[in-house]
Amino acid sequence: MKYLLIGNSTAAIACIEAIRTLDKQGEITVLSKEEQFCYGRPTISYCLAGLTDREHMNYRPLDFYEKMGVSVHLGVSAESIDADKKQVKASDGKKYSYDKLLVSTGSRPFVPFAEGLDKVKNAFTFMSYDDMEALDKALSPEKEVVVIGAGLIGLKCVEGIFDRVKKVTVVDLATRVMPSVTEEESAAMIQSFLEKKGVEFVLGDCAASYTENSVTLKSGKTLSFDILVTAAGVRANTSLIADIGGKVNRGILVNTRQQTSIPDIYAAGDCTEGYDSSIGADRVLALMPNAYLQGKTAGLNMAGGDSEYKDAIPLNAVGFFGLHMLSAGVYEGEIIKVKDENKLKLLFVKDNVLKGFILINDFLRAGIYTSLVRGKTPLDGVDFDMLVEAPQLLAFPAEARAAKLSRRA
Amino acid sequence: MKRIYVNEQWCLGCHLCEYECMYANSGLDEMFKLKGKAGKDILPRIYVEGGEKSPIHFAVNCRHCSGTACVNGCIAGALTKNDDGMVVIDKDKCVGCFTCVLLCPFGAIMPAADGKAAQKCMLCTDNIKGEPNCVKYCPNNAIVYEERE
Ligand SMILES: Cc1cc2nc3c(=O)[nH]c(=O)nc-3n(C[C@H](O)[C@H](O)[C@H](O)COP(=O)(O)OP(=O)(O)OC[C@H]3O[C@@H](n4cnc5c(N)ncnc54)[C@H](O)[C@@H]3O)c2cc1C
Ligand code: SF4
Ligand code: SF4
């Protein structure tokens, strides 16, 4: 069996690990546009801040490919797929054939067009190791930075660079920070914490035009900068599949077995749109745990197994300067709120299940909540008051608890 | 592999295992020297559920489970399941994002005392004790270390 994987990040690594549980012999080949050994993509902000270093960013041990018997081609992009011949044409001029193909091409930064953007000299995005290196070289204590985008990636970038520059201002069209994972109160708490740190925000506004060193916003306000970072969202890399007539929406469409609409081609990770059980519909879930589980499912099926990934939910753990927010699921239904000075717990309950939660600085054992959300556990079967107080296994009936404590799954 | 299992009916909720855990991982030569440090400079990796009024108690630590939700979600590749089946953390790689805390269905991985990295039970293979100190000193057999497949 010949496996070919496009992309060399979380989804691809998970796929390799899964294939090797079932097939020790098959030939595995990886094509990677990026030149680095696989690294933890989210660690780029930690590296800028000095919270990790380049030597520790490898996502797997350095003998991973060797041990797994994988041939990796770093710096080689897949350019097109020939699904009839089962071949992929790559940037090194070679053609790679496959029996089973994984597309795990991730996403790319979305840079909204505004007049004059091409004149900005020190413009960066923040998605890759190369982006990190470029930004690292540009940072210095006298510089002012404007970050476009108050989403997770924009704010992680802020944390990464904050202590290394003079000033950071974040601009977002949305009226609250991290709009896709917060609601009003949690967003306000995070924003005010970051403001106290010295980060400035201009929300509900967006770039109208740029000069080399400034941006004028829709409101008329002008901000000058030495460095511009655009982190205004991402777009899934779907073209390899779209180009050959495969089904694509905002991501490559996949079923719960991670199959695309084209035979023997699977897709996993940020490039896909798959089933999100928290909303009961397909959507892009551009998150690490999801990329891993999709990649794993794809790998098992590619190697002849039978696996479905049916319980995907949004999951987010994000921290800034010591503040931590953990969240999961969707924010619908009755809200149970526990608030303290710098802590917040919001639980969302509907139809006898925990639909989602947001925890700020009060997150010990949060995975017990996550398991309730993921498993859609009926709340009348557990001691929910106890769970509101703190996530604990004691809140489960004796039998369920015993199963949990002895079970290995 | 050998794992730690709970005998809920024999657990008094005395929290001794938590102290034995902290002691094992503290590098201190006498347990009483934990005084003033326990729960502050060093945190246990095993957690006893059930408060003073609760009729039920049991100790929870990493199950070294087969789902390995923590490993799957780790953003830094700091968590791995080793060849023996034990889930280990490389604290030099951990960046303290706590995605693992969000994912572990048993609530068995937690921030270390400095808040900058996660910590979890590695069955005392990462300290001088070599095998689970909590089990060794539990007077009631409420936690045991055995092979059960
Ligand atoms: C700064 C930052 C912080 C983040 N923080 C978090 C976090 O805290 N928690 C979380 O859950 N998620 C976080 N994420 C998201 C997380 O990184 C992604 O969900 C995850 O990396 C997705 O993995 P993937 O394998 O799908 O794709 P990616 O990691 O995007 O990798 C895809 C790879 O495919 C390569 N590629 C693309 N096209 C081709 C081609 N034609 N040929 C060959 N190779 C190709 C790309 O160059 C890339 O290397 C963060 C992302 C960023 C950028
Ligand atoms: S920390 Fe939790 S998820 Fe990770 S191996 Fe242990 S029990 Fe499993
Ligand atoms: S806290 Fe550390 S071990 Fe846990 S997911 Fe984050 S990097 Fe991995």
Side-chain angles (χ1 to χ4, degrees):
Chain A
M1 187 66 88
K2 266 186 165 178
Y3 305 96
L4 182 62
L5 280 53
I6 305 175
N8 176 37
S9 191
T10 303
I13 299 298
C15 180
I16 294 169
E17 290 175 347
I19 290 173
R20 284 295 180 238
T21 62
L22 297 177
D23 179 354
K24 308 269 186 239
Q25 305 301 326
E27 209 178 285
I28 305 179
T29 306
V30 172
L31 304 179
S32 170
K33 186 186 270 178
E34 288 189 273
E35 290 177 358
Q36 294 80 18
F37 188 89
C38 63
Y39 61 94
R41 186 167 307 286
T43 60
I44 60 174
S45 68
Y46 295 88
C47 183
L48 286 182
L51 297 169
T52 188
D53 54 36
R54 288 167 181 76
E55 287 66 49
H56 290 96
M57 287 169 69
N58 51 306
Y59 184 59
R60 286 296 180 264
L62 298 177
D63 60 0
F64 177 79
Y65 299 111
E66 205 189 306
K67 262 192 154 169
M68 289 285 169
V70 174
S71 109
V72 209
H73 302 270
L74 299 177
V76 176
S77 297
E79 291 181 336
S80 61
I81 300 171
D82 184 332
D84 294 329
K85 287 195 189 139
K86 291 193 153 185
Q87 268 182 353
V88 170
K89 195 167 133 260
S91 60
D92 59 359
K94 293 190 187 133
K95 286 185 177 144
Y96 294 84
S97 59
Y98 66 84
D99 297 313
K100 303 280 176 190
L101 177 67
L102 177 78
V103 177
S104 56
T105 45
S107 47
R108 61 184 183 281
F110 168 62
V111 181
F113 175 79
E115 209 187 295
L117 186 57
D118 52 331
K119 297 195 192 83
V120 179
K121 271 210 199 101
N122 286 311
F124 301 87
T125 52
F126 197 60
M127 279 221 69
S128 67
Y129 200 97
D130 288 346
D131 289 343
M132 173 192 87
E133 293 291 16
L135 195 52
D136 187 47
K137 288 195 187 80
L139 299 175
S140 61
E142 73 287 355
K143 290 188 178 161
E144 298 190 2
V145 183
V146 166
V147 175
I148 304 291
L152 178 119
I153 295 177
L155 294 189
K156 282 312 282 183
C157 179
V158 170
E159 186 194 39
I161 65 179
F162 187 74
D163 287 331
R164 301 181 55 186
V165 296
K166 187 170 153 202
K167 183 178 167 187
V168 181
T169 307
V170 183
V171 178
D172 203 307
L173 186 57
T175 52
R176 62 173 199 265
V177 300
M178 299 197 292
S180 62
V181 293
T182 55
E183 46 62 78
E184 299 297 333
E185 197 163 6
S186 48
M189 202 160 170
I190 291 167
Q191 184 181 340
S192 90
F193 175 83
L194 291 171
E195 281 171 343
K196 276 189 202 122
K197 266 259 139 195
V199 181
E200 294 190 16
F201 286 91
V202 182
L203 298 180
D205 209 345
C206 68
S209 67
Y210 291 93
T211 69
E212 190 183 328
N213 285 98
S214 74
V215 54
T216 301
L217 306 177
K218 276 258 161 65
S219 63
K221 191 178 173 122
T222 295
L223 302 168
S224 61
F225 58 75
D226 303 295
I227 293 172
L228 175 74
V229 180
T230 304
V234 299
R235 291 288 179 269
N237 291 322
T238 58
S239 62
L240 285 172
I241 293 297
D243 288 350
I244 53 171
K247 282 191 189 148
V248 159
N249 191 22
R250 297 183 75 169
I252 299 166
L253 288 181
V254 288
N255 62 18
T256 50
R257 297 172 56 84
Q258 300 306 130
Q259 291 167 307
T260 67
S261 58
I262 303 169
D264 296 320
I265 305 184
Y266 295 73
D270 286 13
C271 64
T272 69
E273 191 174 308
Y275 183 70
D276 174 352
S277 88
S278 70
I279 56 167
D282 289 350
R283 72 163 149 173
V284 177
L285 279 179
L287 296 162
M288 203 93 174
N290 190 53
Y292 190 93
L293 290 172
Q294 287 196 337
K296 177 180 173 185
T297 305
L300 291 173
N301 291 324
M302 289 162 75
D306 179 14
S307 175
E308 278 193 88
Y309 180 39
K310 291 197 263 196
D311 58 359
I313 55 169
L315 290 161
N316 246 291
V318 59
F320 311 106
F321 310 107
L323 172 145
H324 290 276
M325 177 176 116
L326 274 56
S327 64
V330 288
Y331 310 148
E332 294 173 5
E334 186 202 340
I335 304 176
I336 295 161
K337 177 164 112 181
V338 184
K339 197 176 172 182
D340 206 344
E341 200 183 342
N342 55 13
K343 289 182 181 172
L344 178 68
K345 176 189 304 199
L346 298 173
L347 303 176
F348 298 84
V349 176
K350 195 175 146 188
D351 303 333
N352 197 29
V353 294
L354 183 63
K355 300 292 283 183
F357 61 84
I358 297 176
L359 308 172
I360 296 180
N361 291 343
D362 179 11
F363 61 86
L364 293 179
R365 311 189 81 200
I368 295 175
Y369 287 155
T370 301
S371 71
L372 291 169
V373 178
R374 209 198 274 281
K376 300 190 162 81
T377 310
L379 295 181
D380 55 9
V382 295
D383 187 334
F384 190 60
D385 292 339
M386 203 183 248
L387 284 167
V388 170
E389 215 170 278
Q392 50 194 311
L393 301 178
L394 195 54
F396 292 80
E399 226 167 76
R401 181 169 69 245
K404 275 180 192 293
L405 285 170
S406 64
R407 209 185 56 189
R408 299 180 38 215
Chain B
M1 91 187 247
K2 278 171 92 174
R3 288 184 171 78
I4 296 177
Y5 297 95
V6 181
N7 289 326
E8 188 177 294
Q9 70 279 21
W10 292 329
C11 180
L12 286 180
C14 70
H15 297 261
L16 186 58
C17 54
E18 297 179 354
Y19 284 95
E20 291 294 350
C21 174
M22 288 187 278
Y23 174 46
N25 291 302
S26 67
L28 296 169
D29 59 352
E30 305 254 31
M31 189 149 145
F32 77 87
K33 292 181 183 165
L34 280 175
K35 202 165 168 64
K37 294 196 175 74
K40 209 172 81 205
D41 301 330
I42 181 156
L43 302 177
R45 300 165 189 190
I46 187 165
Y47 177 76
V48 177
E49 287 207 22
E52 265 169 44
K53 294 198 185 100
S54 172
I56 303 167
H57 300 90
F58 53 89
V60 188
N61 56 0
C62 173
R63 313 277 89 206
H64 300 279
C65 69
S66 45
T68 59
C70 63
V71 178
N72 299 349
C74 176
I75 67 166
L79 289 159
T80 42
K81 195 173 191 90
N82 74 13
D83 295 340
D84 301 334
M86 183 168 71
V87 173
V88 297
I89 183 166
D90 178 345
K91 67 177 188 323
D92 295 332
K93 284 176 67 71
C94 172
V95 294
C97 70
F98 304 130
T99 303
C100 51
V101 177
L102 178 65
L103 293 177
C104 173
F106 307 100
I109 186 164
M110 67 290 291
D114 67 3
K116 290 183 178 149
Q119 65 172 28
K120 68 183 290 300
C121 167
M122 293 197 263
L123 304 170
C124 285
T125 55
D126 55 331
N127 62 48
I128 192 171
K129 303 292 176 193
E131 64 179 74
N133 209 45
C134 54
V135 172
K136 192 169 173 193
Y137 291 103
C138 173
N140 304 313
N141 266 326
I143 35 178
V144 292
Y145 183 51
E146 51 189 50
E147 189 92 46
R148 282 189 199 171
E149 261 346 9

